[in-house]
């Protein structure tokens, strides 16, 4: 069952230097109970995609065109009030920096209770329910910690607190925007395990945004690869890692140092990401692509299916 | 290095209309004061027969109660205001920057002690200290400049210290330290350029404040003494005639208003420009 | 500790029982934050020593102690056998040329008001060795070495990308032909595809100039690539030191095992592998108790671990561990 369906989404920001075309027409869907990984470098458009879904794009940005359907209902064009009904209850977001996502003036318990109250989960045993949420995400001594302030928690615990807050109203879709980038690797492993567990046990869908391919491999069922505002490749996590179709995906996979072997030289992708103000015609990756043809610089390749994967590359046409 | 900063500020200022207007007004006043000597009238020459003449072609701003040409007096008064404003700003800014940078860079006991002194000094209403000091010392332009200057450095010091505290942990500063660069050189080369924008804002604001303070002092008779003209003292003398000869109040009052406003706006805009650059 | 066997290795840098405590005010009480608490290791000439650990472990502090940005609370810092830890500014002067640093944040490591030429020549100027023309020559050749041409000389840092700025930082460090460079997480703030470029460059330059590197990082995969030997730190203590391959193939300290196990592997077929993950809370580095600081998260901890500080011992050749239970697990 399609939980989220995004079609032809285009989001831009209007700055002094010109229009920044952050997202230039993307299509994807998320099924119920699936973990979809969205991978890309900074400037690829992944965070803007997440914010577009959550209705968090504000002046000077706007969603130019496209459709975002959640459980069949169109989200673009909803009023702020209507968005507020959905945010937190049906779709929730876990941000990258837990310190700046919590209000330093209120206790964690208070803030979680706030969310639950807003979505009509007013029950007599609210505090107990909150403590239960904290326990579920693995915060030790939740009865005592529920009245602590954000700065009294460590980074990893704050992220767990953020996860608890997102889950408090049992949303169907969780959008996690680089949830572990700011955390130490041992804490990261614990948080990722938690997310996997929640998705499995409660059949929740997760859109996991990251630039770390290791995280994708550990957690995700399907993957989309973004570059220069477009989706370059899509497929199951096994297909993407076994048989990547797009040169960018191949380049990314090649440049990861593997823990097992110790080759002295790491393969790299020369060059850097294109500017999204007046983006180049054709394929955004053409300038850095080792196998680019003339056509690649002129026409944007179509997003087509090849076996069970989808990719946007002229090389695959032949 | 400072060239780039100045070029940058000039570019950004050129884009803002209000900045251009403010700079224009200030330039007009400055030019006018410098060229005051071109006026055919002596600002201090008393000609009782010409007293209280309304503005005419012969006397553009009219004459005051002693028959002196008002326009010329405004010009010379401008000299006083701008001199006091500018020179006392130099004193307070230099002092404040030096103390603020040292405190922020070295921290420790020195910093604690000096900052407490700053706190205490800021609690005392400086205007009254200036009044008292002026009563003891001979009120002259030099005295006023020094007094306003030496009692106005605290605000600058605090701001400069705050900026220095942030900057000294920047990695390019750490790198210079690694090279064994002397502290004073590091402050000069790496910290000051980044503080300059902030200092510029504080400086323009303090010129405005100084002009206002001098005008107030002169208004109370504790500033520039007769027969020298100062906008403040002119205002003071004009009080009695506010009903009969309002022009006596309007011209000096307007002059003070325009100058102070222009400096304030300029400072504000530079502040805005600097803010945008940070993000 | 004995030098590792093999080629004629001499110790370029040696650190003995190095400690750095910071004073922390908690209300009216003054407490000590033990950022580095008795760290000893050495780096051979021409070698890259990787220092890894999670946030707060003290790895950056160790580097800053060696480059004298911080004054050590106690302990010795030997550069080619001579203790510099208590030297005055004047006495340190001849050592400044030998030691350079490359920092983490490309957006904060270059003075935004200086041109690239001014930035790269800063270290040369402080040395005061060459004249103006010679300096310019050298700047151009050094920039070429890091893949930038002389057009960049008159430009400013904000005109360049993160990766390019790091290269400028590298040029600045190598132009004085140092012997030792402290690399403080030089690639952590860069995009993944740029990280590889910069690491390759550092590797090439090191071999060409026979540099000794202290490479601090938290990305264990990247560190393995560039390091000859690696030290693992936890809450201010060194818990394991060994040759880089040995660490990954046969980690002995429980924390190292957990650290390696926690790294996400970019291979989905291995996602259900057996892993050892950390549970439990971290101890505080403020007035820490006298025990193994890892015991609260260690699956093997017992009474001894909770009451005695473990000492660093050479368990296999060139492989050192600080763990009470190392033989038994």
């Amino acid at each position: 069952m399609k939980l989220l369906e995004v079609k032809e989404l285009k989001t831009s920001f209007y700055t002094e230097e010109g229009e920044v075309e952050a997202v230039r027409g993307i299509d994807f869907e998320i099924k119920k109970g699936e973990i979809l990984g969205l991978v890309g470098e900074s400037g690829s458009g992944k965070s803007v995609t997440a914010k577009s879904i959550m209705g968090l794009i504000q002046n000077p940005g706007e969603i130019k065109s496209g459709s975002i359907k959640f459980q069949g209902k169109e989200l673009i064009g909803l009023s702020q009030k209507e968005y507020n009904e959905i945010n937190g209850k049906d779709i929730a977001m876990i941000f990258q920096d837990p310190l700046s996502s919590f209000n330093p003036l209120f206790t964690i318990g208070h803030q979680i209770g706030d969310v639950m109250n807003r979505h009509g989960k007013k029950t007599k045993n609210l505090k107990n329910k909150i403590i239960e949420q904290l326990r579920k995400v693995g915060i030790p001594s939740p009865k005592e910690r529920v009245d602590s302030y954000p700065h009294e928690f460590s980074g990893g615990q704050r992220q767990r607190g953020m996860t608890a807050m997102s889950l408090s109203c049992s949303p169907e879709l969780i959008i996690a925007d680089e949830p572990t980038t700011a955390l130490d690797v041992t804490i990261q492993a614990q948080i990722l395990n938690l997310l996997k567990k929640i998705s499995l046990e409660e059949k929740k869908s997760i859109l996991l945004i990251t630039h770390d391919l290791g995280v994708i491999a550990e957690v995700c069922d399907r993957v989309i690869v973004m570059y220069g505002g477009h989706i370059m490749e899509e497929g199951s996590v096994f297909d993407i890692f076994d048989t990547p179709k797009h040169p960018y995906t191949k380049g990314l996979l090649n440049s990861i140092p593997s823990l097992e072997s110790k080759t002295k030289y790491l393969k790299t992708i020369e060059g850097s990401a294109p500017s999204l103000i007046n983006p180049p015609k054709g394929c955004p990756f053409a300038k850095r692509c080792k196998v680019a043809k003339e056509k690649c610089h002129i026409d944007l390749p179509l997003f087509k299916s090849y076996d069970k994967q989808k990719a946007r590359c002229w090389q695959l046409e032949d | 290095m400072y060239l780039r900063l100045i070029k940058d500020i000039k570019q950004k200022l050129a884009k803002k209309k209000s900045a251009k207007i403010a700079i224009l007004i200030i330039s007009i006043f400055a030019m006018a004061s410098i060229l005051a000597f071109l006026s055919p009238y002596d600002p201090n020459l008393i000609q009782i027969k010409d007293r209280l003449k309304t503005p005419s072609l012969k006397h553009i701003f009219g004459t005051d109660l002693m028959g002196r040409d008002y326009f010329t007096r405004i010009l010379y008064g401008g000299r006083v205001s701008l001199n006091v404003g500018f020179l006392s700003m130099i004193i307070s800014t230099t002092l404040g920057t030096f103390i603020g940078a040292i405190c922020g860079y070295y921290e420790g006991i020195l910093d604690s002690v000096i900052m407490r002194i700053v706190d205490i000094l800021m609690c005392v209403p400086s205007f009254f200290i200036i009044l008292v000091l002026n009563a003891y010392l001979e009120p002259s332009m030099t005295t006023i400049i020094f007094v306003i200057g030496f009692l106005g450095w605290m605000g600058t010091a605090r701001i400069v210290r705050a900026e220095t505290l942030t900057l000294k942990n920047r990695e390019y500063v750490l790198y210079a330290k690694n090279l064994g660069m002397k502290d004073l050189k590091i402050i000069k080369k790496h910290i000051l350029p980044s503080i300059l924008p902030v200092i510029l804002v504080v400086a323009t604001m303090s010129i405005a404040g100084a002009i206002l303070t001098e005008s107030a002092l002169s208004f109370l008779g504790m500033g520039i003494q007769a027969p020298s003209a100062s906008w403040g003292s002119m205002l003071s003398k004009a009080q009695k005639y506010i009903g009969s000869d309002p022009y006596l109040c309007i011209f000096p009052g307007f002059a003070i208003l325009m100058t102070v406003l222009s400096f304030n706006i300029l400072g504000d805009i530079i502040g805005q420009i600097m803010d945008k650059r940070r993000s | 500790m004995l030098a590792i066997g093999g080629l004629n290795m001499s110790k370029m840098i040696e650190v003995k029982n190095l400690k750095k405590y910071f004073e922390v005010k908690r209300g009216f009480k003054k407490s000590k934050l033990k950022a580095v608490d008795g760290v000893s290791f050495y780096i051979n000439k021409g070698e890259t020593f990787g220092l890894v650990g999670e946030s707060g472990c003290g790895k950056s502090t160790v580097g800053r102690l060696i480059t004298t940005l911080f004054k050590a609370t106690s302990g010795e810092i030997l550069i080619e056998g001579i203790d510099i830890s208590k030297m005055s500014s004047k006495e340190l002067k001849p050592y400044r040329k030998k030691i350079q640093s490359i920092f983490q944040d490309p957006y904060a490591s270059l003075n935004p008001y200086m041109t690239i030429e001014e930035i790269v020549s800063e270290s040369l100027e402080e040395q005061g060795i060459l004249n103006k023309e010679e300096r310019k020559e050298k700047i151009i050749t050094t920039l070429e070495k890091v893949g930038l041409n002389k057009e960049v000389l008159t430009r400013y840092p904000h005109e360049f990308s993160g990766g390019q700025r790091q290269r400028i930082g590298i040029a600045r460090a190598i132009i004085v032909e140092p012997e030792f460079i402290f690399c403080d997480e030089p690639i952590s703030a860069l995009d993944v595809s740029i990280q590889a470029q910069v690491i390759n460059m550092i590797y090439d330059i090191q071999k060409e100039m026979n540099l000794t590197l202290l490479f601090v990082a938290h990305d264990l995969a990247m560190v393995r690539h560039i390091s000859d030997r690696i030290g693992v730190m936890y809450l201010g203590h060194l818990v394991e030191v060994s040759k880089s391959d040995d660490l990954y193939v046969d980690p002995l300290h429980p924390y190292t095992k957990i650290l390696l196990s926690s790294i996400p592997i970019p291979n989905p077929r291995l996602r259900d592998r057996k892993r050892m993950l950390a549970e439990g809370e971290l101890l505080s580095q403020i007035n820490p108790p006298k025990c193994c600081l890892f015991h609260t998260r260690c699956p093997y901890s017992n009474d001894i671990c909770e009451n005695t500080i473990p000492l660093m011992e050479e368990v296999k050749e060139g492989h050192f561990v600080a763990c009470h239970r190392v033989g038994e697990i």
Side-chain angles (χ1 to χ4, degrees):
Chain A
M1 197 254 285
K2 278 184 227 171
L3 187 66
L4 183 76
E5 197 177 349
V6 176
K7 279 207 171 83
E8 288 285 306
L9 178 65
K10 288 193 184 155
T11 306
S12 292
F13 289 88
Y14 302 98
T15 68
E16 264 174 31
E17 282 98 45
E19 178 188 349
V20 181
E21 298 176 44
V23 178
R24 299 160 61 197
I26 59 173
D27 305 78
F28 68 92
E29 25 181 85
I30 305 182
K31 301 199 235 334
K32 187 168 157 67
E34 130 176 285
I35 303 183
L36 176 68
L38 174 47
V39 69
E41 296 172 89
S42 53
S44 57
K46 50 192 205 297
S47 270
V48 176
T49 304
K51 293 198 180 130
S52 301
I53 299 174
M54 295 290 288
L56 292 173
I57 303 287
Q58 288 169 343
N59 210 0
E62 66 163 0
I63 298 180
K64 278 170 59 178
S65 62
S67 136
I68 302 177
K69 286 215 181 105
F70 178 72
Q71 288 177 328
K73 182 175 174 192
E74 176 64 51
L75 294 182
I76 299 181
L78 286 185
S79 69
Q80 192 59 51
K81 192 165 174 218
E82 289 167 315
Y83 250 119
N84 286 346
E85 296 277 308
I86 304 179
N87 276 352
K89 182 158 80 88
D90 303 307
I91 311 180
M93 194 147 163
I94 300 178
F95 294 92
Q96 176 174 352
D97 182 5
L99 185 55
S100 53
S101 311
F102 275 119
N103 187 329
L105 300 175
F106 296 99
T107 63
I108 298 260
H110 179 115
Q111 295 186 56
I112 297 181
D114 226 7
V115 177
M116 294 176 85
N117 270 333
R118 171 122 35 110
H119 295 291
K121 302 247 181 216
K122 220 180 219 138
T123 47
K124 288 196 193 120
N125 272 325
L126 189 63
K127 191 145 193 189
N128 280 340
K129 290 221 151 136
I130 299 175
I131 295 177
E132 189 48 43
Q133 294 290 345
L134 293 178
R135 191 191 310 275
K136 240 179 24 180
V137 297
I139 290 184
S141 327
K143 253 205 211 121
E144 287 87 45
R145 302 315 302 270
V146 73
D147 291 319
S148 298
Y149 288 88
H151 67 267
E152 294 175 313
F153 286 78
S154 70
Q157 288 174 330
R158 271 195 290 266
Q159 200 56 305
R160 287 178 196 259
M162 172 113 270
T163 309
M165 191 154 85
S166 313
L167 295 172
S168 56
C169 299
S170 220
E172 289 303 312
L173 173 64
I174 302 166
I175 302 181
D177 189 356
E178 308 253 20
T180 54
T181 306
L183 302 176
D184 283 330
V185 78
T186 50
I187 312 286
Q188 173 177 276
Q190 292 174 290
I191 300 281
L192 290 177
N193 248 17
L194 178 62
L195 288 175
K196 261 202 294 196
K197 197 171 91 151
I198 290 166
S199 173
L200 200 60
E201 286 175 8
E202 303 186 30
K203 295 244 183 313
K204 306 289 184 200
S205 306
I206 303 181
L207 174 62
L208 181 60
I209 302 173
T210 177
H211 61 268
D212 187 337
L213 286 165
V215 168
I216 297 275
E218 292 285 347
V219 173
C220 303
D221 300 312
R222 273 173 52 240
V223 184
I224 32 182
V225 181
M226 274 187 85
Y227 187 84
H230 281 290
I231 295 184
M232 291 286 132
E233 182 157 5
E234 180 190 330
S236 83
V237 68
F238 296 99
D239 287 335
I240 294 278
F241 278 87
D242 285 340
T243 52
K245 298 258 187 262
H246 196 281
Y248 175 59
T249 317
K250 291 186 197 169
L252 272 184
L253 290 169
N254 274 337
S255 65
I256 312 169
S258 73
L259 216 45
E260 291 97 44
S261 69
K262 190 182 182 181
T263 48
K264 270 304 176 181
Y265 271 110
L266 295 172
K267 300 214 190 106
T268 75
I269 309 180
E270 296 300 323
S272 50
S275 163
L276 293 170
I277 300 177
N278 288 328
K281 275 209 300 235
C283 176
F285 189 60
K287 221 170 137 215
R288 292 170 84 183
C289 186
K290 294 209 169 87
V291 297
K293 301 186 288 198
E294 219 187 287
K295 190 174 189 194
C296 303
H297 292 277
I298 308 176
D299 294 320
L300 180 69
L302 302 167
F303 197 50
K304 285 172 135 183
S305 293
Y306 304 94
D307 303 324
K308 284 177 279 169
Q309 288 162 253
K310 287 196 201 154
R312 194 189 280 279
C313 181
W314 289 126
Q315 290 297 324
L316 302 165
E317 288 284 287
D318 325 310
Chain B
M1 192 188 319
Y2 295 89
L3 286 169
R4 184 204 155 198
L5 186 61
I6 296 174
K7 204 172 73 174
D8 205 29
I9 297 181
K10 267 200 205 154
Q11 263 184 343
K12 294 252 160 75
L13 276 180
K15 287 191 197 158
K16 290 252 176 194
K17 228 194 207 153
S18 31
K20 285 202 250 190
I21 297 178
I23 296 179
L24 186 65
I25 295 179
I26 296 174
S27 316
I28 293 178
F29 275 100
M31 269 290 109
S33 321
I34 296 175
L35 298 175
F37 64 90
L38 287 179
S39 163
Y41 294 100
D42 179 346
N44 297 330
L45 183 63
I46 300 176
Q47 306 234 176
I48 302 290
K49 65 175 172 69
D50 282 332
R51 69 194 297 261
L52 292 177
K53 283 234 167 77
T54 48
S56 63
L57 277 176
K58 190 163 176 230
H59 296 277
I60 324 176
F61 278 10
T63 60
D64 70 353
L65 60 116
M66 299 287 213
R68 300 176 283 208
D69 179 53
Y70 221 44
F71 182 63
T72 317
R73 279 184 73 78
I74 292 276
L75 290 181
Y76 279 91
R79 273 200 194 175
V80 170
S81 295
L82 291 173
N83 268 337
V84 172
F86 195 71
L87 294 171
S88 62
M89 175 275 282
I90 300 266
I91 296 179
S92 65
T93 305
T94 316
L95 207 55
T97 305
F98 184 71
I99 296 179
I102 300 286
C103 283
Y105 192 79
Y106 289 107
E107 284 189 273
I109 300 183
L110 180 72
D111 175 41
S112 302
V113 168
I114 294 188
M115 279 301 119
R116 296 296 79 74
I117 295 177
V118 165
D119 288 337
I120 294 174
L121 281 177
M122 284 183 99
C123 286
V124 181
S126 48
F127 189 70
F128 292 101
I129 297 193
I130 296 176
L131 267 181
V132 170
L133 275 175
N134 259 3
Y136 267 112
L137 309 163
E138 243 183 68
S140 68
M141 191 148 96
T142 329
T143 334
I144 295 182
I145 291 175
F146 274 102
V147 165
I148 297 181
F150 277 99
L151 284 170
W153 60 268
M154 290 89 74
T156 314
R158 264 202 188 158
I159 296 178
V160 168
R161 173 181 175 271
E163 288 293 310
T164 309
L165 280 175
T166 321
L167 288 167
K168 73 169 183 180
N169 288 318
R170 286 276 157 81
E171 290 170 351
Y172 58 81
V173 175
L174 295 181
Y175 183 79
K177 272 199 194 165
N178 264 344
L179 295 177
M181 205 182 273
K182 297 237 184 304
D183 288 334
L184 237 51
K185 190 169 178 189
I186 294 183
I187 296 181
K188 208 180 78 173
K189 196 174 184 197
H190 291 286
I191 304 214
L192 278 185
S194 293
I195 312 183
L196 215 58
V198 174
I199 297 180
L200 221 57
V201 177
V202 177
T204 27
M205 300 296 215
S206 70
I207 295 181
I211 294 179
L212 220 47
T213 306
E214 180 276 318
S215 303
L217 282 175
S218 303
F219 184 83
L220 294 174
M222 302 298 285
I224 303 293
Q225 297 298 307
S228 295
S230 154
W231 294 339
S233 60
M234 288 162 77
L235 256 186
S236 175
K237 302 265 166 52
Q239 280 179 92
K240 278 195 287 195
Y241 300 87
I242 208 169
S244 52
D245 307 275
Y247 68 90
L248 288 174
C249 296
I250 295 177
F251 291 125
F254 197 65
I256 297 175
L257 175 65
M258 290 313 284
T259 338
V260 172
L261 197 59
S262 301
F263 275 111
N264 265 331
I265 290 179
L266 192 60
D268 194 41
I269 293 180
I270 297 182
Q272 276 177 32
I273 298 177
M274 290 308 127
D275 243 355
K276 263 193 224 153
R277 279 164 47 83
R278 277 162 201 269
S279 56
Chain C
M1 289 189 244
L2 304 168
I4 292 181
L7 303 169
N8 200 0
M9 300 274 208
S10 65
K11 294 184 198 173
M12 165 96 211
I13 306 274
E14 183 167 7
V15 152
K16 287 186 183 171
N17 208 19
L18 191 58
K19 293 187 187 174
K20 178 66 183 166
Y21 295 172
F22 290 103
E23 289 243 327
V24 166
K25 281 199 201 123
R26 272 216 171 145
F28 285 112
K29 269 200 308 176
K30 267 202 188 156
S31 314
K32 293 210 171 82
L33 184 126
K34 301 193 180 176
V36 176
D37 198 7
V39 166
S40 308
F41 67 93
Y42 62 91
I43 312 178
N44 291 311
K45 195 162 168 62
E47 188 175 56
T48 301
F49 189 88
L51 194 54
V52 302
E54 295 175 298
S55 39
C57 69
K59 55 194 196 295
S60 279
T61 312
V62 166
R64 290 181 184 197
L65 286 166
I66 295 178
T67 52
T68 67
L69 272 180
F70 288 152
K71 206 110 185 113
T73 306
S74 72
E76 293 169 37
I77 303 170
L78 306 174
I79 303 205
E80 289 177 322
I82 304 190
D83 185 9
I84 62 162
S85 62
K86 293 160 190 71
M87 282 190 182
S88 70
S89 226
K90 208 163 171 200
E91 293 167 308
L92 282 170
K93 211 159 174 216
Y95 292 95
R96 300 285 184 201
K97 181 182 185 296
K98 300 192 187 201
I99 302 178
Q100 280 289 319
S101 312
I102 299 173
F103 292 105
Q104 176 179 4
D105 184 356
Y107 296 91
S109 53
L110 308 177
N111 186 332
Y113 295 103
M114 289 166 71
T115 59
I116 305 303
E117 179 175 359
E118 287 169 335
I119 292 175
V120 178
S121 71
E122 193 172 22
S123 37
L124 279 181
E125 271 178 55
E126 273 307 292
Q127 295 297 321
I129 22 178
L130 306 166
N131 67 41
K132 212 158 184 221
E133 283 104 49
E134 290 170 328
R135 255 186 262 153
K136 192 148 185 184
E137 262 306 310
K138 193 136 202 213
I139 295 174
I140 296 178
T141 38
T142 312
L143 282 172
E144 273 167 19
K145 234 190 223 174
V146 298
L148 296 166
N149 71 47
K150 62 181 179 186
E151 281 166 11
V152 311
L153 284 179
T154 48
R155 287 156 66 183
Y156 290 90
H158 70 267
E159 304 178 54
F160 296 95
S161 69
Q164 290 168 315
R165 285 188 216 207
Q166 275 311 57
R167 292 190 210 205
I168 295 169
I170 294 173
R172 173 175 69 175
I174 61 174
I175 197 170
V176 286
E177 286 164 35
E179 292 172 38
F180 168 77
I181 302 187
F182 164 44
C183 305
D184 193 356
E185 308 223 39
I187 55 168
S188 309
L190 304 175
D191 270 334
V192 171
S193 57
I194 311 286
Q195 283 184 2
Q197 282 177 24
V198 176
I199 278 240
N200 281 348
M201 177 186 302
I202 295 180
Y203 178 78
D204 281 338
I205 292 177
Q206 184 206 9
K207 287 292 169 262
E208 189 192 320
M209 297 173 72
N210 196 26
L211 294 169
T212 308
L213 300 182
L214 172 63
F215 198 94
V216 167
H218 62 261
D219 183 340
L220 288 157
M222 278 296 179
V223 171
R224 178 182 186 172
H225 257 81
I226 196 169
S227 309
D228 299 302
R229 283 161 62 233
I230 299 185
V232 181
M233 282 186 73
Y234 187 78
L235 293 185
H237 293 265
L238 203 50
V239 300
E240 186 162 0
V241 178
S242 78
K243 283 230 264 293
S244 138
D245 284 331
D246 286 345
L247 194 82
Y248 293 83
V249 161
D250 185 24
L252 295 176
H253 195 285
Y255 176 62
T256 315
K257 295 193 209 210
I258 289 179
L259 200 55
L260 290 170
S261 203
S262 303
I263 300 174
I265 294 186
N267 182 348
R269 298 194 189 278
L270 297 173
R271 57 160 69 167
D272 293 321
R273 69 192 182 283
K274 216 169 131 216
R275 297 167 86 182
M276 202 164 114
L277 298 182
E279 296 297 328
E281 292 307 301
L282 278 103
L283 281 173
S284 169
Q285 281 168 280
I286 301 181
N287 298 335
K290 291 207 189 317
C291 60
C292 172
L293 292 183
F294 188 60
H295 86 258
T296 53
R297 299 166 86 201
C298 183
Y300 306 111
S301 77
N302 63 17
D303 277 337
I304 309 177
C305 305
E306 290 176 33
N307 291 302
T308 349
I309 301 178
L311 296 171
M312 198 73 143
E313 282 168 11
E314 187 165 10
V315 170
K316 291 194 318 194
E317 194 191 326
H319 200 145
F320 303 79
V321 187
C323 175
H324 291 300
R325 307 206 56 203
V326 65
E328 309 150 27
I329 48 179

